[in-house]
Amino acid sequence: MEPKKKAITAAVVGTALGVGGLVVVAMPASAGSAPKLPQVSAEELVQSVAAAKPAAFDGTVTVSNDLGLPAMANAMPGAGALNVNSAHVYSDGAKNMKVALTKGTAQETIVHTGNTVWDYNSQTNSATKTTIPADVATKHGMTDGKAADPATAAKELLAKVRESSNVAVDGTATVADRPAYELVLTPKPTERTLLREIRIAVDSQTRMPLRLSVLSNGTTAPALELAFSQIEFAPQPADLFAFTPPKGAKVTEKQAKVDDKTKALANEAQASTKFVGDGWDTVVTGKVPADMLKAQPAQGERKGMDPQKMLSRFGKRVSGTWGSGYLFTTKVGGAVLTDDGRFAAGAVPEQVLYEALGAK
């Protein structure tokens, strides 16, 4: 399978299932009148998005989620990001970024400057300062801020899905009071996927993605829509990225490091991960570390956790020639975790997941 086709899974699963990683991608304004813009071909638009340089900006972001996820609160990694009401994002267009997330009455502020990351929670009045050593940052890509860069995230998604898609420009739109082109990616007819299309609203001037919509089959409204409701492209003052904990805040300092155990787990996960199929119906399979399925006792203020109870609460018990385990579904995809720790995930019907588990 070609590398670009293998990468489709990361794009689809990252967009549809691992949405927590894309919450700061770009989030949406209400629909406005369709502006008149010069015609542009789909290929020209794609190329201009890929070539666009990151811009400094100040923007307000919102998320609309109709994925059909169970009410699991923060029980699973990344799920808590779906409870964000809004986010205010500041970027200097280089390596500095500030994100203020609002969740009900609480606010979380994350500031990434150089090799330092501050994470402050207003509800607990506590802050964590993490210093990332240069060697760790270089080896693991922790200094470029790409994970939180809306333009970069959308560019990577576009690069990964276009190989197995029909790509077209479907008119124009107004997003965050800015004129934008509507870029639409639809799976080719041979693809077995739950997704109908992915739409990206691209700013007509900066070529920065302003809105990302994921639509599933049989629905008219997006299952997930992320977009800017307000954005201003302008240089950001340096002191904006200088964080000082509020008076009385409990501050914890730590240094990011990759220990031998973490390295071993990462190597094990990488060795067991493979891709089955290609295109939009690619399924990623692998095996989770055995420790992840064992009950974790309470330690200090940390509550104990029983993964098996969580699985039975949120998953559906299933079995087949591939074995037995739990099925988790959303409107845009699903995942199966077997009793012996194998998994399969993708934006596909459950039968495709079972086939992937049984593949040799």
Side-chain angles (χ1 to χ4, degrees):
M1 193 192 316
E2 297 174 4
K4 288 186 177 180
K5 290 195 173 183
K6 288 184 178 181
I8 186 76
T9 296
V12 172
V13 175
T15 304
L17 302 177
V19 291
L22 290 178
V23 165
V24 189
V25 166
M27 302 182 182
S30 56
S33 58
K36 292 184 179 180
L37 296 171
Q39 287 192 343
V40 61
S41 70
E43 185 60 28
E44 289 173 334
L45 188 57
V46 169
Q47 292 297 335
S48 64
V49 170
K53 295 181 179 179
F57 67 87
D58 168 357
T60 302
V61 183
T62 57
V63 58
S64 175
N65 161 36
D66 188 26
L67 290 170
L69 291 170
M72 63 181 72
N74 294 325
M76 294 181 68
L82 296 175
N83 296 324
V84 172
N85 299 122
S86 64
H88 205 126
V89 184
Y90 308 86
S91 173
D92 67 355
K95 296 184 178 181
N96 297 327
M97 180 166 284
K98 178 178 180 180
V99 181
L101 303 172
T102 301
K103 302 179 183 180
T105 59
Q107 187 174 75
E108 181 179 5
T109 302
I110 303 169
V111 181
H112 187 176
T113 306
N115 284 19
T116 301
V117 179
W118 279 98
D119 189 340
Y120 172 73
N121 188 309
S122 67
Q123 194 168 31
T124 59
N125 194 26
S126 60
T128 300
K129 179 184 179 182
T130 303
T131 301
I132 307 170
D135 59 333
V136 174
T138 301
K139 291 179 181 179
H140 301 278
M142 301 173 71
T143 61
D144 53 17
K146 289 183 178 180
D149 183 338
T152 301
K155 284 180 183 179
E156 291 178 352
L157 172 63
L158 185 60
K160 290 168 182 174
V161 301
R162 62 180 297 198
E163 290 297 318
S164 300
S165 308
N166 293 316
V167 185
V169 178
D170 186 20
T172 63
T174 298
V175 180
D177 294 326
R178 294 186 64 87
Y181 292 100
E182 289 273 24
L183 187 65
V184 182
L185 297 93
T186 55
K188 293 182 178 179
T190 54
E191 304 299 309
R192 295 188 296 171
T193 176
L194 296 179
L195 300 183
R196 187 174 85 238
E197 64 184 31
I198 294 174
R199 303 179 71 90
I200 302 173
V202 179
D203 186 88
S204 62
Q205 295 180 2
T206 66
R207 291 301 198 259
M208 176 173 165
L210 299 177
R211 180 171 63 207
L212 175 70
S213 305
V214 179
L215 292 92
S216 59
N217 290 320
T219 62
T220 56
L224 176 68
E225 187 167 67
L226 313 168
F228 284 101
S229 58
Q230 173 276 326
I231 189 168
E232 180 180 357
F233 293 98
Q236 302 300 308
D239 59 2
L240 184 66
F241 305 101
F243 180 80
T244 301
K247 186 177 180 180
K250 179 183 177 181
V251 178
T252 302
E253 295 194 28
K254 62 182 183 179
Q255 184 163 315
K257 60 180 181 179
V258 181
D259 55 30
D260 291 339
K261 182 178 180 180
T262 302
K263 287 180 181 178
L265 289 175
N267 291 335
E268 179 184 340
Q270 184 176 15
S272 67
T273 300
K274 67 176 183 178
F275 299 91
V276 179
D278 53 37
W280 290 60
D281 50 19
T282 301
V283 175
V284 60
T285 65
K287 192 168 185 177
V288 300
D291 289 348
M292 288 186 64
L293 299 178
K294 295 180 181 178
Q296 304 295 321
Q299 292 185 354
E301 297 181 356
R302 193 186 74 180
K303 295 181 180 179
M305 184 181 70
D306 187 341
Q308 294 298 330
K309 287 184 178 180
M310 186 184 301
L311 291 172
S312 61
R313 181 180 177 186
F314 298 116
K316 172 186 174 183
R317 191 70 183 164
V318 291
S319 62
T321 56
W322 46 268
S324 59
Y326 293 93
L327 170 69
F328 305 87
T329 59
T330 73
K331 290 183 179 180
V332 294
V336 175
L337 180 61
T338 68
D339 295 333
D340 58 1
R342 292 173 295 132
F343 68 84
V348 297
E350 59 184 87
Q351 182 58 39
V352 181
L353 297 175
Y354 302 151
E355 291 173 9
L357 285 172
K360 301 297 183 181

